């Protein structure tokens, strides 16, 4: 921190960020849902769900359920006629005329015990007319496929989403840049591949849970495990036909999200049920089985890649087609499709590009946001093709990437230019750390060792006007409380928020507290805790709020000392003058102000700083070409490399080493940044080697940890290295941008490329299980 008599120039904005151990904890005024005493009046909700992937609802008879003692409410779609959705309002809270996936909510019950509620579900009789389902996204685009949303053309939709009424395509995003057809003739090497990426689940340690209460006045309070309290307030209020001011969402700390608790999923159900029992609180908790198929899942993807380069390895053209399995409702999936479209070149300079990215309705579980937001799925195939193309043109894969990767000023697929990026440095750090070009001997005669590397890029996928706000308030003793609307989901954002507030205001980190829980009645607005945007967007709001508070304090002291604020500063909680070397602590000053001479009154008073941030420069893109001035706020780039061994007898893969290098702009908390890199690598490895929702005829056959495998500490490599690259973001606080999702993006293709390096086989898609790898080796003649 700064000391009296000198001005610091250690950071781009003149303030030093406290560098602390990530284990330090911000202890705000936390109130957790478990502490709220609902008492004996608490009711328990359960949901009657569709057993069919696709069917018309002919009749729902709730007579017997309503007559069951202990049942206080039974609701159906007849009670709630409005649609709900974030980017595309395409679903009812409860189904009305049709069900579109196994698990679609048909009716809800509130009872005095969970057991009675469950028994009541069995008494609800539903008459279905079963219809032919759509179970493949590529086939779902065909003219002969059943239309799952006949009213698609009437849904409310964001202006940057382009549905195709009369089809199952809820968004078609296009890139048309250069002359792709003409470029193929100039290519010395061309590769084409098709990949299939399965659905997977987020599997947060805490399942979805929410409690709702509707007051006799009509005001609604929702307590929920949520990444999106303000979005929930807005969307649920709209669907209920009430003012957002009547809807309050309280969101305690979240036990894991990874995107599954963004937007609205089960929360609207419990609010709807609570409207039927005013004055009573209603709780809905998803079982682990329900978590697997009724909460958001990561969308499946069928991708087709074609790319070519000249004899010197310079990329000339790409033609990509993505069929996203959006599931039954695509309120969030449509934006995943868009993000994949404008990122479809990968982090490479490609002069000629044609991309068609389709979000397709199917009768699978609802696709939604997951860590990486479509980028792991898209990069999984693209980065394997880059390796294949390098091999075909006779060039080292790392050198091929060095030649073609984005640099500052590189043209992007949407027509804008790349901002400064440290991607070339990331490539070198990852390649050097993994020992690229050196191949140590395998650990046993029956094993083969390989190395692989992959790049990535990702922008915050969000509306152009997603905003953040914050407030900073000082207490009598000079301690600071910071109000934010962003959510702590285990990523450490409250720690970083406290660091930034402390640095911008000039107080010790230990004196800063974060007001919690997030409460839409009292907390400042935040769009959502998604898109790896909080350090950048909410961070800017915090810095602005702290500077506003600082301006008030220095104005008061400057007036009292007859000095200009420019000669004053706050250092370690003390106002100092660089001119006269006077000093005064913030204690009492920040609330009571300062007395005027000769008992002639007071100046100053309670200090509350306010700050906001919203990007104002993101422009629209042409719906036919995808071209525009600026499609996103920025990109985070990086590289990962792996070393692994394949057992020739079993096909089992062991990850020996993992290396990550990412350009984060500025690491506000280096320990937490590295933790994100390590955690993302392991989660990406899990999706590469183990995870897949086993879907058959629209039914999830693996809705438990017995059948759904995720990586454990035993699977993680013993050697994980993380490298921080810092090429400052021009509008980030201290140059920072996000890293939460990005470290999961390149892991699948890095592992796939290492498998090929080891045994010379490629699979259509993950998971790269021992059985699939062994059968591929058998088919290729690697083993007999």
């Amino acid at each position: 921190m700064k000391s009296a008599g000198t001005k610091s120039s250690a950071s781009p904005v003149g303030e030093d960020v406290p560098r602390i151990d990530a284990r330090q904890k911000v202890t705000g005024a936390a109130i957790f849902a478990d502490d709220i005493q609902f008492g004996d009046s608490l009711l328990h909700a359960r949901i009657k769900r569709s057993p069919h992937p696709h069917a018309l609802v002919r009749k729902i008879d709730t007579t017997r359920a309503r007559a069951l003692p202990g049942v206080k409410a039974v609701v159906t779609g007849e009670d709630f006629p409005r649609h709900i959705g974030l980017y595309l309002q395409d679903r009812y809270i409860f189904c009305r005329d049709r069900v579109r996936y196994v698990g679609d909510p048909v009716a809800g019950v509130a009872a005095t015990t969970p057991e009675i509620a469950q028994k009541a579900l069995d008494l609800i009789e539903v008459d279905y007319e079963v219809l032919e389902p759509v179970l493949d996204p590529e086939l779902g685009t065909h003219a002969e496929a059943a239309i799952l949303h006949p009213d698609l053309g009437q849904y409310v939709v964001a202006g940057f989403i382009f549905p195709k009424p009369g089809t199952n395509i809820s968004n078609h995003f296009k890139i048309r840049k250069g002359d792709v057809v003409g470029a193929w003739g100039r290519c010395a090497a061309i590769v084409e591949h098709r990949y299939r990426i399965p659905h997977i689940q987020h599997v947060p340690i805490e399942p979805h849970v929410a409690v709702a209460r509707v007051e006799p006045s009509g005001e609604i309070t929702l307590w929920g495990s949520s990444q999106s309290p303000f979005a929930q307030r807005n969307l649920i209020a709209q669907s209920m036909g009430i003012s957002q001011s009547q809807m309050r969402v309280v969101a305690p700390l979240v036990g894991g999200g990874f995107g599954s608790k963004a937007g609205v999923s089960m929360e609207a159900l419990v609010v709807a049920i609570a409207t039927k029992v005013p004055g009573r609180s209603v709780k809905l908790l998803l079982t682990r089985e329900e978590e697997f198929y009724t909460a958001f899942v990561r969308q499946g993807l069928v991708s087709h890649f074609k790319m070519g380069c000249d004899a010197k390895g310079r990329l000339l053209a790409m033609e990509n087609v993505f069929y996203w399995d959006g599931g039954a409702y695509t309120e969030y999936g449509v934006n995943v499709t868009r993000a994949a479209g404008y990122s479809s070149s990968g982090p490479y300079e490609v002069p000629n590009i044609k991309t068609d990215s389709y979000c397709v309705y199917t009768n699978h579980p609802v696709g939604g946001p997951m860590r990486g937001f479509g980028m792991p799925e898209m990069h999984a195939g693209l980065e394997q093709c880059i390796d294949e193309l390098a091999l075909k043109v006779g060039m080292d894969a790392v050198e091929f990437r060095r030649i073609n990767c984005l640099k500052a000023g590189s043209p992007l697929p949407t027509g804008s230019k790349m901002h400064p990026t440290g991607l070339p440095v990331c490539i070198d750090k990852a390649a050097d750390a993994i020992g690229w070009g050196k191949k140590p001997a395998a650990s046993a005669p029956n094993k083969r060792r390989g190395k692989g590397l992959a790049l990535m890029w990702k922008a915050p996928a969000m509306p152009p006007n997603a905003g953040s706000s914050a407030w900073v308030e000082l207490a009598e003793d000079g301690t600071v409380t910071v109000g934010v609307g962003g959510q702590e989901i285990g990523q450490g954002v409250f720690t970083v928020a406290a660091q930034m507030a402390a640095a911008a205001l000039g107080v010790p980190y230990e004196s800063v507290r974060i007001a919690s829980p997030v409460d839409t009645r009292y907390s400042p607005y935040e769009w959502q805790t998604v898109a790896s945007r909080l350090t950048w967007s909410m961070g800017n709001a915090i810095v602005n709020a702290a500077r506003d508070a600082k301006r008030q304090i220095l104005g008061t002291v400057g007036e009292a000392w007859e000095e200009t604020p420019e000669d004053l500063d706050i250092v370690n909680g003390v106002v100092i003058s660089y001119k006269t070397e006077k000093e005064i602590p913030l204690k009492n000053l920040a609330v009571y102000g300062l007395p005027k001479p000769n008992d002639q009154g007071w100046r100053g008073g309670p200090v509350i700083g306010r700050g906001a941030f919203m990007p104002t420069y993101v422009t629209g893109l042409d719906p036919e070409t995808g071209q525009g001035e600026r499609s996103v706020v920025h990109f985070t780039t990086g590289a990962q490399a792996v070393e692994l061994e394949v057992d020739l007898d079993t096909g089992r893969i062991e990850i020996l080493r993992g290396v990550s290098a990412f350009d984060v702009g500025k690491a506000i908390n280096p320990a937490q940044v590295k933790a994100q890199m390590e955690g993302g690598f392991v989660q990406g490895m899990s999706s590469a080697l183990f995870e897949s929702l086993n879907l058959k005829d629209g039914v999830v056959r693996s809705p438990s940890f017995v059948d759904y495998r995720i990586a454990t500490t035993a699977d993680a490599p013993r050697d994980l290295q993380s490298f921080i690259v810092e090429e400052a973001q021009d509008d980030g606080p201290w140059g920072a941008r996000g890293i939460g999702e990005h470290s999961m993006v390149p892991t699948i293709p890095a592992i796939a490329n290492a498998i090929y390096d080891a045994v010379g086989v490629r699979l259509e898609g993950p998971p790269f299980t021992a059985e699939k790898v062994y059968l591929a080796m058998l088919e290729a003649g690697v083993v007999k």
Side-chain angles (χ1 to χ4, degrees):
M1 302 296 291
K2 290 177 278 187
S3 59
T6 63
K7 286 223 173 189
S8 170
S9 59
S11 75
V13 292
E15 298 134 348
D16 296 323
V17 184
R19 295 297 181 111
I20 64 171
D21 190 308
R23 293 168 293 183
Q24 287 184 267
K25 190 175 182 181
V26 179
T27 54
I31 304 173
F32 299 97
D34 288 343
D35 297 331
I36 301 170
Q37 300 300 311
F38 296 106
D40 294 337
S41 66
L42 179 67
L43 300 176
H44 300 270
R46 296 294 296 147
I47 306 300
K48 180 78 171 182
R49 300 185 181 276
S50 168
H52 306 293
H54 192 201
L56 297 178
V57 179
R58 292 304 189 191
K59 181 181 179 183
I60 303 176
D61 188 346
T62 62
T63 306
R64 295 169 61 206
R66 294 179 189 274
L68 183 68
V71 170
K72 301 301 180 182
V74 179
V75 301
T76 67
E78 289 299 313
D79 302 299
F80 305 99
R82 299 171 186 265
H83 287 91
I84 191 171
L86 185 63
Y87 297 107
L88 175 66
Q89 295 180 19
D90 64 352
R91 62 184 172 98
Y92 296 112
I93 296 176
F94 287 95
C95 298
R96 289 170 61 84
D97 57 343
R98 177 189 303 245
V99 294
R100 295 179 172 91
Y101 74 102
V102 174
D104 220 350
V106 176
V109 172
T112 52
T113 69
E115 293 77 15
I116 293 174
Q118 184 62 46
K119 186 175 181 180
L121 295 187
D122 298 333
L123 299 178
I124 297 174
E125 299 177 8
V126 185
D127 181 18
Y128 296 99
E129 179 184 333
V130 177
L131 301 175
E132 186 72 22
V134 174
L135 302 175
D136 182 276
E138 195 167 1
L139 297 178
T141 63
H142 293 180
E144 59 270 22
I147 302 301
L148 304 188
H149 286 262
D151 298 329
L152 176 59
Q154 301 172 32
Y155 293 156
V156 176
V157 61
F160 49 84
I161 303 300
F162 308 113
K164 301 298 179 186
T167 75
N168 288 318
I169 300 169
S170 57
N171 188 24
H172 180 192
F173 184 88
K174 305 175 186 177
I175 292 288
R176 302 290 188 268
K177 180 185 176 185
D179 179 9
V180 175
V181 174
W184 296 129
R186 302 194 305 274
C187 291
I190 297 174
V191 298
E192 293 186 68
H193 280 290
R194 178 182 185 272
Y195 299 94
R196 182 178 288 272
I197 312 299
H199 297 78
I200 64 174
Q201 237 301 328
H202 309 69
V203 291
I205 193 170
E206 174 200 41
H208 281 69
V209 60
V211 177
R213 182 170 66 228
V214 179
E215 303 299 340
S217 65
E219 291 192 353
I220 300 173
T221 303
L222 171 68
W223 294 265
S225 179
S226 171
Q227 296 177 231
S228 309
F230 287 91
Q232 289 180 351
R233 177 187 69 176
N234 181 41
L235 297 175
I236 295 175
Q238 287 182 7
S239 70
M240 293 289 171
I242 64 172
S243 166
Q244 285 84 351
S245 64
Q246 290 182 272
M247 180 78 204
R248 177 189 180 192
V249 180
V250 183
L253 303 182
V254 176
F258 310 111
S260 70
K261 294 172 183 173
V264 177
S265 54
M266 51 77 80
E267 296 82 12
L269 299 173
V270 70
V271 171
I273 296 170
T275 62
K276 303 302 180 182
V277 283
R280 301 287 294 270
S281 298
V282 181
K283 178 181 180 180
L284 177 60
L285 169 67
L286 295 189
T287 66
R288 178 57 68 181
E289 182 175 344
E290 287 177 313
E291 189 77 25
F292 270 97
Y293 68 95
T294 70
F296 285 136
V297 300
R298 191 176 80 177
Q299 296 184 126
L301 171 64
V302 177
S303 57
H304 298 259
F305 292 95
K306 181 179 180 181
M307 60 181 67
C309 66
D310 63 20
K312 294 182 179 180
R314 181 70 65 178
L315 283 167
L316 295 181
M318 281 191 186
E319 185 171 350
N320 305 328
V321 184
F322 306 141
Y323 298 97
W324 293 91
D325 189 333
Y329 306 101
T330 62
E331 56 154 322
Y332 232 125
V334 288
N335 200 33
V336 173
T337 299
R338 182 176 188 269
Y342 61 63
S343 306
S344 58
S345 66
Y348 301 102
E349 187 173 327
V350 187
N352 305 288
I353 306 172
K354 179 184 178 184
T355 297
D356 290 283
S357 187
Y358 299 99
C359 189
V360 185
Y361 285 120
T362 69
N363 295 115
H364 284 148
V366 179
M370 186 174 177
R371 189 178 193 177
F373 208 73
M375 296 302 102
E377 303 95 284
M378 190 272 289
H379 282 75
L382 186 144
E383 281 295 296
Q384 291 188 70
C385 284
I386 290 291
D387 253 38
E388 290 285 294
L389 190 58
L391 179 65
K392 195 165 186 178
V393 80
M395 185 175 291
D396 175 76
V398 168
E399 184 59 29
F400 187 90
R401 288 176 167 87
R402 287 193 182 107
I403 291 172
N404 289 288
C405 76
L406 294 171
K407 289 95 177 173
S410 292
L412 302 181
T414 55
S416 57
K417 301 291 185 181
M418 184 65 180
H419 55 75
T421 175
L423 182 56
V425 179
C426 294
I427 296 173
D428 290 342
K429 286 186 176 295
D432 291 346
I434 206 68
W436 192 261
K438 304 173 185 176
K439 196 163 185 178
S443 62
N446 66 327
K447 295 184 178 181
R448 296 292 182 269
R449 187 169 292 204
K451 295 178 181 179
L453 183 141
L455 308 187
M456 63 75 61
W457 71 333
K458 183 191 180 300
M462 63 187 199
N465 59 340
S468 300
S469 58
W471 50 256
V472 170
E473 183 178 20
L474 281 82
E476 292 86 344
D477 61 356
T479 56
V480 179
T481 300
V482 179
V484 295
Q487 183 61 290
E488 177 61 66
I489 58 176
Q491 82 281 42
V493 71
F494 281 5
T495 299
V496 170
Q499 285 182 261
M500 290 191 286
L505 185 57
V507 300
Y509 163 79
E510 293 76 13
S511 68
V512 180
R513 302 290 182 268
I514 304 300
S516 63
V518 176
D519 184 333
T520 59
R521 179 172 291 177
Y522 306 110
S523 301
Y525 176 82
E526 181 62 57
W527 177 61
Q528 295 189 82
T529 300
V530 297
S532 303
R533 56 181 286 279
L534 287 192
T535 296
W536 165 74
S537 181
M538 192 177 81
N540 275 321
I542 292 168
V543 170
N544 290 336
R547 288 176 178 169
D548 183 40
K550 187 174 185 177
R551 176 189 56 78
Q552 297 173 48
I553 295 167
L554 297 186
T556 297
V557 175
E559 183 182 341
W561 290 353
E562 297 183 344
E563 297 189 42
T564 64
E566 289 74 23
D567 290 326
L568 306 177
D569 205 349
I570 303 176
V571 178
N572 208 28
V574 177
V575 180
I576 64 168
S577 168
Y578 293 113
K579 183 177 180 181
T580 64
E581 297 191 357
K582 289 182 180 180
E583 63 178 47
I584 183 172
L586 293 177
K587 184 177 181 180
N588 295 328
L589 156 65
V591 171
Y592 301 123
L594 292 173
K596 295 179 180 179
N598 304 317
D599 201 22
Q600 295 302 302
W602 291 74
R603 54 172 59 89
V607 173
I608 300 179
R610 298 178 300 170
F613 175 78
M614 185 183 78
T616 58
Y617 42 75
V618 177
T619 63
L621 300 177
D622 185 281
E624 294 303 318
T625 66
Q627 301 301 291
E629 186 176 340
R630 185 166 179 177
S631 60
V632 298
V633 291
H634 59 250
F635 287 94
T636 294
T637 58
Q640 277 183 345
V642 300
E643 183 175 6
L644 55 74
E645 281 189 337
V646 180
D647 189 315
L648 298 179
D649 295 333
T650 65
R652 181 180 179 274
I653 295 168
E654 181 182 2
I655 308 295
L656 303 175
R657 288 196 295 157
V659 178
S660 298
F662 289 89
D663 175 13
V664 303
K666 178 69 174 179
I668 302 296
N669 188 311
Q672 288 190 169
V673 168
K674 289 190 174 184
Q676 287 294 324
M677 291 189 195
E678 293 170 1
F681 181 93
V682 173
Q683 191 170 14
M685 180 192 76
S686 185
S687 68
L689 299 183
F690 308 122
E691 296 187 51
S692 175
L693 277 180
N694 182 4
L695 281 159
K696 185 176 181 181
D697 299 327
V699 179
V700 175
R701 305 289 183 177
S702 53
S704 76
F705 288 124
V706 174
D707 302 302
Y708 188 94
R709 171 94 151 83
I710 63 173
T712 67
T713 53
D715 302 301
R718 297 180 182 179
D719 185 357
L720 272 177
Q721 300 179 59
S722 299
F723 296 94
I724 296 172
V725 176
E726 295 177 313
E727 183 71 47
Q729 182 63 37
D730 60 356
D731 64 348
W734 292 273
R737 53 179 168 261
I739 183 57
E741 300 171 89
H742 310 83
S743 52
M744 185 178 172
V745 172
T747 319
I748 292 175
I751 290 174
N753 289 338
I755 293 171
Y756 184 85
D757 183 52
V759 293
V761 300
R762 290 195 181 274
L763 284 72
E764 185 185 37
F768 308 132
T769 61
E771 179 184 14
K772 288 167 67 175
V773 171
Y774 183 82
L775 291 175
M777 291 191 298
L778 195 64
E779 183 178 354
V782 178
V783 297
K784 297 180 180 180

